[in-house]
Amino acid sequence: MVIPGSWQRAARGAGLLASDGRSAPTIFAEMSALATRTGAINLGQGFPDEDGPAEVLTAAVDAIRRGDNQYPPGIGIADLRLAIAEHQERFYGIRLDPDREVLVTAGATEAIAATLLALLEPGDEVVTFEPFYDAYGALIALAGGVHVTVPLTGADFTPDPDALRSAVSDRTRVILVNSPHNPTGSVLPLETLELIVELAHRHDAVIVTDEVYEHLTFGVPHIPIASLPGARERTVSISSGGKTFNTTGWKVGWVMAPAELVTAILAVKQFLTYVNAAPFQPAIATGLRLGDDYFAGIAAGLQAKRDVLSAGLRTAGFDVAESRGTYFVVADAAPLGFTDAVDLCRQLPELAGVVAIPLSAFCRGEYAARTASLVRFAFCKRVEVLERAAAQLSGLRQRSTTR
Ligand SMILES: *Cc1c(COP(=O)(O)O)cnc(C)c1O
């Protein structure tokens, strides 16, 4: 069967379809199926195994009972837009007009999709770092853009400034930034953010910044790129309630941008989902107004989980990068004698009862070859689950030394 139109072009561009047009099951689907089949601990997909704050859950239940069950306004309910504006001022000193500079979306994913569809002409270039969140490749292709990547290198997964300079040109329409970064757990240093702003000005590009892990950093501050001098007028900032409130299935995200950009993005968004999540919108507003102790607590709790899993991976013999944010840590299996992470991930349920994702799922060609032995593990799981995973993984070292 031939799948017609843009989806096929997008899927091929993003490597989701083989050249004969058949859909290749993504490594995510393959690994989730493997976890289900083998009963292995699933440290592949990044979703928490615990509920978020009771106030937020109760607010959603109350909203359903109260009858918030029909289409909300296209731009999002007023109280959530107000809560988003209050949150930006409280945490970052950024003042937004909630009626003109904030748009509620079906998760960060729709925000990114609508933004790229609104901004790109066919052939426009979009610069991202590599590895990149898998949806970026597909959405850039779907919007007719050309995806240019800058490798994240070194132990801290940061870009070389000269590589960044040479990737951005007058052909660049969008620089798509993600910090804290999925899949590497890196947080971009201030100098890199400043360079992005400088390059966006020089080449008249728009900065689109995916900050869904803004509250999940470990010992380093999150710096929204829109807070830098000269950034605000050309930046579309995107976040979501999913990661902050353990509600990844609710899909409440938002865009914060100058009014004319919000208008352009809304024009596309209204024909994607139109609206979503009526009872969850007031609940996320409740979440955004929780006290500082909540936000400090989730970062500290996740940092402790990171430490449990990272220590376990080191004991098992992996070379482990320091994760400074997100749900994820990257570990190199080469010291264990595994040069191909795809191979290792296919065997891992049997070897250690654990499922993880090879980093190559987030890269293409040349970079994937350079990082072939790297694996992404999710640590957004209960501590006892991570301890069990760590204990099971510790057997890997013996196996690899006896091979
Ligand atoms: C989880 C995630 C998203 C998706 O967020 P939703 O609100 O669920 O759409 C977007 N970007 C990154 C980097 C993510 O990890």
Side-chain angles (χ1 to χ4, degrees):
M1 185 186 72
V2 177
I3 304 167
S6 320
W7 164 247
Q8 190 172 30
R9 183 187 63 209
R12 266 219 201 95
L16 301 178
L17 279 183
S19 52
D20 64 358
R22 281 172 195 280
S23 137
T26 68
I27 193 84
F28 298 94
E30 182 187 338
M31 291 302 151
S32 286
L34 197 57
T36 310
R37 196 164 66 237
T38 60
I41 300 172
N42 192 351
L43 305 184
Q45 215 188 351
F47 61 89
D49 60 355
E50 282 177 292
D51 269 333
E55 299 95 308
V56 173
L57 303 182
T58 304
V61 173
D62 290 348
I64 290 173
R65 293 237 161 83
R66 183 167 74 218
D68 288 357
N69 300 310
Q70 311 308 327
Y71 298 131
I75 194 171
I77 64 163
D79 193 51
L80 175 56
R81 286 183 282 109
L82 181 61
I84 291 164
E86 288 166 5
H87 170 277
Q88 291 310 97
E89 177 152 25
R90 166 178 160 200
F91 285 98
Y92 311 121
I94 297 174
R95 300 184 82 156
L96 294 169
D97 177 346
D99 294 326
R100 299 170 66 239
E101 296 178 314
V102 179
L103 165 64
V104 177
T105 56
T109 309
E110 189 196 32
I112 299 162
T115 301
L116 293 176
L117 288 164
L119 292 177
L120 296 185
E121 299 277 355
D124 280 349
E125 292 186 1
V126 178
V127 174
T128 76
F129 296 109
E130 186 169 4
F132 50 85
Y133 182 60
D134 57 319
Y136 296 174
L139 293 174
I140 292 166
L142 190 58
V146 175
H147 190 179
V148 174
T149 64
V150 179
L152 296 178
T153 54
D156 55 358
F157 290 105
T158 50
D160 171 49
D162 287 331
L164 181 53
R165 275 188 202 98
S166 58
V168 181
S169 72
D170 290 344
R171 293 185 302 278
T172 308
R173 175 68 171 143
V174 168
I175 307 175
L176 174 51
V177 184
N178 169 219
S179 179
H181 183 257
N182 176 8
T184 65
S186 71
V187 171
L188 291 176
L190 179 61
E191 309 83 75
T192 304
L193 299 179
E194 285 170 343
L195 178 57
I196 290 165
V197 177
E198 182 193 318
L199 292 169
H201 271 275
R202 188 177 314 152
H203 298 288
D204 197 22
V206 177
I207 300 165
V208 178
T209 174
D210 173 349
E211 303 184 3
V212 299
Y213 296 102
E214 60 185 313
H215 288 292
L216 304 177
T217 65
F218 316 130
V220 289
H222 171 65
I223 305 170
I225 203 161
S227 68
L228 300 187
R232 177 91 181 261
E233 72 255 28
R234 55 175 66 244
T235 298
V236 177
S237 302
I238 292 170
S239 193
S240 163
K243 309 294 162 50
T244 302
F245 304 112
N246 284 21
T247 51
T248 60
W250 286 11
K251 300 298 279 191
V252 178
W254 50 91
V255 163
M256 298 158 286
E260 55 281 20
L261 284 169
V262 165
T263 303
I265 296 163
L266 177 58
V268 176
K269 184 257 183 308
Q270 69 183 332
F271 297 119
L272 292 177
T273 59
Y274 174 45
V275 294
N276 78 310
F280 301 125
Q281 292 192 24
I284 295 296
T286 299
L288 290 169
R289 292 181 174 125
L290 289 173
D292 293 347
D293 52 333
Y294 173 74
F295 293 92
I298 53 171
L302 201 60
Q303 181 168 353
K305 295 175 179 202
R306 172 202 70 172
D307 291 345
V308 170
L309 185 64
S310 300
L313 289 168
R314 282 194 190 99
T315 306
F318 288 91
D319 198 353
V320 183
E322 186 185 336
S323 169
R324 294 190 168 83
T326 75
Y327 283 167
F328 306 107
V329 60
V330 170
D332 188 351
L336 282 160
F338 291 97
T339 50
D340 181 350
V342 176
D343 225 34
L344 171 62
C345 288
R346 289 195 171 120
Q347 293 177 53
L348 211 49
E350 192 194 319
L351 293 175
V354 168
V355 161
I357 304 283
L359 201 73
S360 58
F362 307 92
C363 341
R364 16 183 232 193
E366 196 215 332
Y367 188 89
R370 260 199 282 159
T371 57
S373 59
L374 303 188
V375 185
R376 187 195 77 170
F377 290 87
F379 50 77
C380 49
K381 307 292 172 184
R382 281 167 291 134
V383 170
E384 62 268 27
V385 173
L386 297 171
E387 281 170 347
R388 191 149 44 83
Q392 291 171 195
L393 284 162
S394 67
L396 271 182
R397 189 194 282 273
Q398 281 111 32
R399 282 177 187 259
S400 73
T401 49
T402 54
R403 278 194 323 166

